[in-house]
Amino acid sequence: MLHRLKQALARRLPVTGGRLSAETERLNTEIQTLQKAQQESLKQITALNRALKESNTLIRRMQEQTGRTLERMEKSGRLCQRMASEGVWAEVFNNTITGSSWLKDQTFSPGRWALGYQALYVLYRTLDQVRPSSILELGLGQSTHMTTQYAQQQKDVSHLVVENDPNWIAFYERRNPLGDNTHILQMDLTFQPYRDAPAVRSYANFQQLKGKTFDLILIDAPLGGDMKQFARVDLLGLLPDCLAPSFVILMDDTNRPGEKHTVAEITEVLQPLGAVTATYSGAKDMTIWTSPDLSFLCTM
């Protein structure tokens, strides 16, 4: 615009004695003033744009930081809620086993890789009230400390524990009497494909249990924390033929992704049987399936 104004002045204003007229000089002065003002405005606009960009970057970083803080707070809140629930289950479990006629050694170390208090509570109620006669337990540990005592006190009970680690088996047997009704089957681990998962940690030769029936099955192995698609799928190869007419299945760590997917598979397989299912939550989750006649175990 300033360039066009200069051209217009050159056409309209006369030149006297080789010098611009006073009017021309005045207008040139105004033009220079306008040019300086325009340059200053451009500088201010550039500074404002820079400040706006920095402000937007700061706002975005603050939003991201706020989001991370809220996520940590929510995670911490969920953890606190779970730990509070675990404390309640500990009280419920300890009150329930007080005066038990068969659970004499009541020293347990729940949590971490072992069953939580809510799972121990459901297991005890199942053993004490259902009185299963054929038990399959996957994983040797805190649950075995309870199931072996039950098996020792009952007649005609078959209790089979599957464990992969021979050193752990030897260590456990040296310190814990098993009784005649309990047998530990050492079974190596392998990786096998299942559906869209190329490698799921499984028991080798688990199919050797085909043809046996159980009224209580406890699944707390093999290790599944690093399995994101499916975990602990061994039993799916036997279901539903391995179940007695009245049955209970307990599966620990079902808050984890791999176990969650396996839970969905088991639920689908058991649906034609009218199985009832529930999840008990403490520091972690445990899922239970029962035949319709034992559905009270899902509402304790």
Side-chain angles (χ1 to χ4, degrees), residues 39 41 111 127 134 143 145 150 153 158 163 214 225 247 262 270:
Q39 291 173 355
S41 295
L127 294 170
S134 182
S143 56
H145 182 58
Y150 168 81
Q153 298 295 323
S158 172
E163 171 60 41
F214 306 94
F247 65 85
T262 303
L270 298 183

Side-chain angles (χ1 to χ4, degrees), residues 16-262:
T16 304
R19 297 176 62 189
L20 292 174
S21 65
E23 181 67 16
T24 303
E25 290 180 358
R26 185 183 68 79
L27 290 173
N28 276 336
T29 299
E30 291 183 1
I31 290 171
Q32 291 173 2
T33 301
L34 289 171
Q35 286 177 328
K36 290 180 180 179
Q38 184 184 49
Q39 291 173 355
E40 186 63 28
S41 295
L42 289 174
K43 288 180 181 178
Q44 292 178 359
I45 292 172
T46 301
L48 286 171
N49 285 334
R50 185 184 304 114
L52 180 61
K53 183 177 180 180
E54 292 175 354
S55 177
N56 287 336
T57 301
L58 180 60
I59 291 173
R60 185 174 63 253
R61 289 176 179 173
M62 291 178 64
Q63 289 174 335
E64 292 173 352
Q65 180 64 33
T66 301
R68 288 192 292 267
T69 301
L70 288 174
E71 184 178 352
R72 287 195 295 269
M73 291 176 63
E74 290 175 358
K75 184 177 180 180
S76 177
R78 290 193 297 269
L79 178 60
C80 289
Q81 185 178 20
R82 280 189 172 275
M83 295 312 296
S85 179
E86 186 76 6
V88 172
W89 281 116
E91 185 72 14
V92 171
F93 172 68
N94 288 321
N95 288 339
T96 301
I97 65 176
T98 299
S100 174
S101 61
W102 56 268
L103 188 63
K104 300 303 182 182
D105 185 350
Q106 299 182 356
T107 56
F108 290 92
S109 299
R112 296 161 297 279
W113 283 15
L115 294 183
Y117 277 109
Q118 89 286 10
L120 287 173
Y121 167 75
V122 176
L123 177 60
Y124 177 82
R125 289 286 302 274
T126 300
L127 294 170
D128 193 57
Q129 295 185 253
V130 176
R131 299 299 172 100
S133 60
S134 182
I135 304 170
L136 173 62
E137 186 175 355
L138 305 186
L140 177 69
Q142 289 297 303
S143 56
T144 316
H145 182 58
M146 181 184 294
T147 50
T148 51
Q149 292 186 68
Y150 168 81
Q152 287 175 0
Q153 298 295 323
Q154 308 299 322
K155 294 181 179 179
D156 301 323
V157 169
S158 172
H159 176 213
L160 176 63
V161 183
V162 177
E163 171 60 41
N164 67 282
D165 188 346
N167 293 323
W168 171 233
I169 293 174
F171 179 87
Y172 188 91
E173 287 183 325
R174 284 197 301 269
R175 288 161 174 79
N176 300 276
L178 296 182
D180 295 336
N181 293 339
T182 296
H183 303 278
I184 299 177
L185 175 62
Q186 193 277 323
M187 194 177 292
D188 292 333
L189 296 178
T190 186
F191 286 89
Q192 299 178 2
Y194 184 81
R195 294 198 182 277
D196 56 342
V200 179
R201 187 180 291 105
S202 308
Y203 286 113
N205 304 317
F206 193 78
Q207 291 299 310
Q208 66 180 278
L209 301 180
K210 197 169 185 178
K212 298 181 180 295
T213 58
F214 306 94
D215 48 10
L216 172 60
I217 300 176
L218 175 60
I219 308 170
D220 194 23
L223 179 67
D226 57 341
M227 300 281 100
K228 304 305 179 184
Q229 292 173 281
F230 287 95
R232 300 175 173 175
V233 299
D234 301 274
L235 187 64
L236 284 163
L238 304 182
L239 289 176
D241 297 337
C242 66
L243 297 175
S246 291
F247 65 85
V248 178
I249 302 174
L250 306 178
M251 185 174 184
D252 198 28
D253 302 300
T254 55
N255 51 294
R256 302 188 306 206
E259 280 84 353
K260 279 185 178 180
H261 295 150
T262 303

